[in-house]
Amino acid sequence: GTSISDIGIYLSGNNNTLTSNTGTSNSSYGIYISGNNNNLTSNIGISNSSYGIYLSGKNNNLTSSTGTSNSSRGIYIFP
């Protein structure tokens, strides 16, 4: 998701896989994931006004992902 006004990529649910995506230049989150048992691999959140990657839920896996040049945090994991 590039230059979307609020959230670049939003995923809410369980047992999903998100691979090789980029959330760039959004006014809030680059990539926002909520739910359980999700897998994120090789994702990038860059130059967003809040968080690059925001991950919320239980038993989620985050692998080889980066959050760079975001106003608040690069990667934020909320239990």
Side-chain angles (χ1 to χ4, degrees), residues 2-56:
T2 302
S3 298
I4 295 173
S5 64
D6 192 18
I7 298 172
I9 298 168
Y10 177 84
L11 178 62
S12 177
N14 302 319
N15 303 307
N16 295 294
T17 300
L18 188 66
T19 304
S20 300
N21 292 280
T22 302
T24 303
S25 301
N26 298 287
S27 64
S28 187
Y29 304 95
I31 300 172
Y32 184 103
I33 309 295
S34 66
N36 301 316
N37 303 308
N38 294 303
N39 295 295
L40 286 79
T41 304
S42 301
N43 295 287
I44 300 169
I46 187 168
S47 298
N48 297 287
S49 294
S50 188
Y51 300 98
I53 299 173
Y54 182 96
L55 180 59
S56 157

